[in-house]
Amino acid sequence: MGEPFQLALIGTKGKWYDHEVTVSEVTEGEGDAEGSSEDMAAAKEVADLIDSIYVQTRDENTDELCAKAKEAWDALTDEQKELVEGEEADPDYFGRDTGDASKDDPLNSDDIGENELLVVSFGTSFNDSRAEDIGGIEKALQKAYPDWSVRRAFTAQIIINHVQARDDEKIDNVEQALERAVENGVKNLVVQPTHLMHGAEYDELNDVLDGYKDKFESVAVAEPLLGEVGSDATIINEDKKAVAEAITAEAVKEAGYDSLDAAKEDGVAFVFMGHGTSHTANVSYSQMQTQMNELSYENVFIGTVEGLPAETELSAVIDSVKSAGYKKVILRPLMVVAGDHANNDMAGDDDDTWKSGFLADGSFDSVDCQISGLGRIEAVQELYVKHTGEVIK
């Protein structure tokens, strides 16, 4: 009694947290019941505040709630922080180290001038990925088009709120960015989405832009990364070819092989994990597999977190890799940023991750992960530059 020991507790979402516990003698009328209830109350306050800003809408209370959530979190002890558990809240919301936010530029300044190039991304709360992946694309565009002022917008308010509350970095959502452009007297607006395809996010962006087109002399929207979708899984294009070549070359290089053929000889399969979508544009993932096949990249496979289309679902991809006889697997995200999906759904240690799924199958000698977004690859940046150039007159 009185000696501390380690205890692992599991939260309501199935996540384990380590606690150091000390048991001491309790006298009548005393004990830690009151302290425990105070700890839980403090943790619940933070969880409720996190849940209140874990929303896809912004209103007049958002800034205040973000500030309150961070202030309440900072006031917790380390032990209390581990108790934070809500509908969406957990200790990682504020506590996870995702890199130095000060290295990122939110690109939300005024004095824009007449020509604005608005780079619209879904966004990520992973600081290093935001700076390297999204920031890499933005910097490449600014270098290529110095007469245009590059500004940023994210479509995910949930992510905007997370970054603001945790790091005090304010990133515009699309409406805020467009209002900023109007107030700054921008005449010519070019929008470059960093989205992979013509999916739901791309459609929603265009819906918002429709309400602002009469406020500028010209508005043009550039192609997403993979270009036009096409009608079926056999349709490929130069954009998909360029992306397939770029991401495969980068994966092979990072794995330490001189060529894809050398990796194949060593029994290595590269699996690129995309997000997946119920939107009709999900055929783009099948088209990327077609493109890999057309390039004779026999040891390259395309999958999706959401398992849409069906042939990109985890178990289907495992079966494909296994049937092809490869014994070593390297997982890498088919996503612009290496954020939550790459770190958790792909490379995490939970039972339902892609890494765990391949390991649990028992057919592979090794399963490794490359946590790196597409946005930091120079050839991918050049493709965005090309798409932007096609609409700048």
Side-chain angles (χ1 to χ4, degrees):
M1 191 170 293
E3 291 293 324
F5 62 94
Q6 294 297 318
L7 178 67
L9 299 179
I10 189 168
T12 59
K13 293 192 226 178
K15 295 186 68 173
W16 288 92
Y17 302 104
D18 293 328
H19 292 260
E20 186 174 276
V21 178
T22 302
V23 178
S24 58
E25 185 174 354
V26 180
T27 59
E28 186 176 354
E30 296 182 355
D32 63 356
E34 183 178 353
S36 176
S37 63
E38 289 176 354
D39 290 343
M40 293 300 296
K44 185 179 185 304
E45 178 189 4
V46 173
D48 289 344
L49 284 166
I50 291 173
D51 285 342
S52 74
I53 57 176
Y54 203 99
V55 292
Q56 192 55 19
T57 55
R58 175 180 171 83
D59 59 33
E60 66 276 7
N61 299 314
T62 298
D63 291 338
E64 180 183 1
L65 289 171
C66 286
K68 281 185 175 180
K70 182 61 160 62
E71 182 181 5
W73 168 263
D74 288 342
L76 297 180
T77 65
D78 289 344
E79 291 76 14
Q80 289 171 335
K81 288 175 180 178
E82 293 175 352
L83 300 174
V84 173
E85 188 81 16
E87 184 177 348
E88 301 293 345
D90 60 37
D92 283 345
Y93 188 87
F94 283 112
R96 183 169 189 168
D97 181 9
T98 66
D100 185 356
S102 68
K103 294 179 180 179
D104 182 48
D105 185 350
L107 295 176
N108 59 1
S109 62
D110 293 315
D111 302 321
I112 299 171
E114 293 186 353
N115 301 320
E116 177 177 345
L117 173 50
L118 181 61
V119 183
V120 179
S121 306
F122 178 81
T124 180
S125 62
F126 281 70
N127 292 329
D128 284 346
S129 295
R130 192 168 64 256
E132 292 185 54
D133 297 329
I134 295 174
I137 296 168
E138 293 165 342
K139 289 181 177 68
L141 289 166
Q142 186 64 84
K143 182 179 179 181
Y145 305 107
D147 295 332
W148 291 71
S149 296
V150 173
R151 294 294 182 269
R152 171 190 291 178
F154 282 1
T155 58
Q157 188 67 45
I158 288 171
I159 289 172
I160 293 171
N161 291 351
H162 190 172
V163 175
Q164 179 175 335
R166 186 189 61 198
D167 304 308
D168 197 28
E169 177 181 338
K170 295 184 179 180
I171 298 170
D172 285 346
N173 61 31
V174 176
E175 289 86 351
Q176 286 175 302
L178 292 173
E179 288 295 334
R180 186 184 300 278
V182 171
E183 291 169 6
N184 276 260
V186 170
K187 293 182 179 179
N188 304 303
L189 178 69
V190 167
V191 179
Q192 176 61 69
T194 66
H195 304 128
L196 210 63
M197 63 188 70
H198 285 268
E201 290 282 330
Y202 187 88
D203 291 345
E204 291 168 9
L205 168 62
N206 278 280
D207 288 343
V208 175
L209 284 172
D210 284 342
Y212 282 85
K213 287 186 176 178
D214 62 348
K215 300 181 185 296
F216 305 99
E217 291 182 10
S218 68
V219 177
V221 184
E223 284 289 307
L225 185 59
L226 298 180
E228 289 294 336
V229 176
S231 57
D232 59 54
T234 66
I235 304 299
I236 53 179
N237 57 31
E238 287 302 313
D239 291 333
K240 293 179 178 68
K241 180 181 179 184
V243 172
E245 291 174 337
I247 64 178
T248 302
E250 199 71 18
V252 168
K253 178 182 176 181
E254 189 170 326
Y257 292 98
D258 293 332
S259 66
L260 183 61
D261 285 340
K264 180 182 175 182
E265 293 271 333
D266 196 29
V268 174
F270 294 93
V271 177
F272 291 94
M273 186 196 77
H275 186 277
T277 176
S278 58
H279 192 280
T280 54
N282 65 20
V283 72
S284 299
Y285 295 106
S286 301
Q287 291 167 350
M288 281 300 292
Q289 185 65 67
T290 298
Q291 183 64 76
M292 296 298 183
N293 298 342
E294 289 287 320
L295 289 167
S296 298
Y297 291 177
E298 297 176 359
N299 55 331
V300 178
F301 301 84
I302 304 296
T304 61
V305 178
E306 299 293 332
L308 294 169
E311 64 267 24
T312 62
E313 188 265 332
L314 175 57
S315 63
V317 176
I318 291 175
D319 287 343
S320 296
V321 176
K322 186 166 50 177
S323 297
Y326 297 103
K327 291 296 184 180
K328 301 175 184 177
V329 176
I330 295 177
L331 302 172
R332 188 181 176 100
L334 181 61
M335 301 176 180
V336 172
V337 298
D340 184 69
H341 288 303
N343 285 273
N344 296 330
D345 295 318
M346 185 186 79
D349 294 324
D350 292 343
D351 292 341
D352 58 351
T353 69
W354 278 55
K355 182 181 76 173
S356 296
F358 272 93
L359 288 171
D361 185 80
S363 303
F364 308 100
D365 297 335
S366 65
V367 180
D368 297 309
C369 298
Q370 297 178 351
I371 304 178
S372 184
L374 305 183
R376 68 187 69 184
I377 301 174
E378 186 176 349
V380 170
Q381 295 170 3
E382 290 173 356
L383 191 53
Y384 282 116
V385 168
K386 172 178 171 285
H387 286 171
T388 298
E390 290 169 350
V391 298
I392 287 181
K393 308 298 183 185

